[in-house]
Amino acid sequence: EAGVAQSPRYKIIEKRQSVAFWCNPISGHATLYWYQQILGQGPKLLIQFQNNGVVDDSQLPKDRFSAERLKGVDSTLKIQPAKLEDSAVYLCASSLDYRSLLGYTFGSGTRLTVV
Amino acid sequence: AQTVTQSQPEMSVQEAETVTLSCTYDTSENNYYLFWYKQPPSRQMILVIRQEAYKQQNATENRFSVNFQKAAKSFSLKISDSQLGDTAMYFCACTNYGGSQGNLIFGKGTKLSVKP
């Protein structure tokens, strides 16, 4: 079974520039999650999709972050404009069942450095 | 609000010995799930073990086992016969149903070093 695919693996941008990350979940997984992991901390949920609908974006800084999951499969997370404090690893995960989180699987993440 | 606390920022253990990582959590849910994840330098979050709160029996996966104390809201991870490949960050997590659907709340992690 193929895992959760993410790209790019690394990205370095200047502050105020924009950046986008892509995620392709495991086939058949209806639920997709984006997490932000700042150095030295555990991952924090940014947004959660069920199919192509948003079910939780309460911790997404909506003035600069946006995400979409067209057609209920792959997803894109965008930051515009980026700030220094956005430097982090952005992890995508997917799961088969939203209650038991059965099959909850993470991608390898994108490390973003804002300079 | 749901919280997960890992009070040991760093730990070390000699190869082949046993080590226990601590985790406490707070939840208002009656039914929930608890996880331990391993994150090596490759950044991939790897599921180590999973516990269903309604099951009294502690989960085990080969050299990994948990001590689940539901009343105390404690969920520690025991690694037996530690191997060099066990060196990594370990994160404890609890399901969060604050929204309409579940996701994970993570602790800050414990950095484990296995020494030869």
Side-chain angles (χ1 to χ4, degrees):
Chain A
E1 176 183 76
V4 176
Q6 287 191 249
S7 67
R9 187 131 172 90
Y10 302 92
K11 191 74 177 179
I12 301 174
I13 61 171
E14 295 182 350
K15 59 183 179 183
R16 292 187 290 274
Q17 285 187 327
S18 63
V19 64
F21 313 124
W22 175 82
C23 172
N24 190 23
I26 291 175
S27 177
H29 282 197
T31 312
L32 184 147
Y33 316 77
W34 283 102
Y35 285 84
Q36 180 192 56
Q37 186 178 18
I38 293 173
L39 185 65
Q41 298 184 21
K44 182 186 80 172
L45 180 73
L46 290 176
I47 189 167
Q48 178 178 344
F49 292 92
Q50 179 73 10
N51 296 310
N52 61 348
V54 176
V55 296
D56 188 349
D57 62 355
S58 56
Q59 298 191 82
L60 187 73
K62 298 179 187 63
D63 57 334
R64 298 183 300 105
F65 285 66
S66 65
E68 60 183 10
R69 192 185 182 196
L70 300 176
K71 301 180 182 178
V73 182
D74 54 352
S75 176
T76 303
L77 176 70
K78 296 179 181 177
I79 308 174
Q80 181 179 11
K83 292 185 175 182
L84 296 177
E85 58 260 37
D86 298 331
S87 294
V89 173
Y90 291 85
L91 294 165
C92 179
S94 68
S95 72
L96 193 60
D97 177 75
Y98 72 88
R99 187 73 192 175
S100 68
L101 305 188
L102 189 66
Y104 205 101
T105 304
F106 284 86
S108 294
T110 297
R111 181 180 296 279
L112 173 67
T113 303
V114 183
V115 298
Chain B
Q2 221 121 346
T3 58
V4 175
T5 303
Q6 294 179 249
S7 58
Q8 305 152 315
E10 292 191 41
M11 292 195 71
S12 64
V13 63
Q14 290 296 128
E15 195 175 7
E17 293 189 346
T18 296
V19 64
T20 299
L21 308 184
S22 301
C23 172
T24 58
Y25 61 93
D26 188 21
T27 179
S28 57
E29 297 285 334
N30 290 322
N31 190 22
Y32 51 91
Y33 299 81
L34 295 162
F35 303 79
W36 277 98
Y37 278 91
K38 170 185 177 181
Q39 188 178 43
S42 66
R43 301 199 303 262
Q44 180 89 43
M45 294 285 280
I46 302 165
L47 178 64
V48 175
I49 202 163
R50 165 193 168 103
Q51 174 81 41
E52 298 166 45
Y54 64 88
K55 288 188 176 179
Q56 292 186 337
Q57 186 173 5
N58 290 326
T60 62
E61 287 288 341
N62 301 314
R63 298 183 294 108
F64 300 89
S65 61
V66 298
N67 183 4
F68 174 45
Q69 302 288 328
K70 190 171 183 178
K73 294 184 177 177
S74 170
F75 183 62
S76 60
L77 174 70
K78 186 172 82 171
I79 306 174
S80 303
D81 186 26
S82 298
Q83 300 176 0
L84 296 178
D86 295 333
T87 293
M89 285 292 296
Y90 286 81
F91 291 95
C92 178
C94 178
T95 45
N96 170 38
Y97 298 106
S100 61
Q101 303 190 6
N103 52 70
L104 290 179
I105 297 290
F106 286 86
K108 290 189 174 183
T110 297
K111 183 178 182 180
L112 177 67
S113 299
V114 180
K115 301 183 185 303

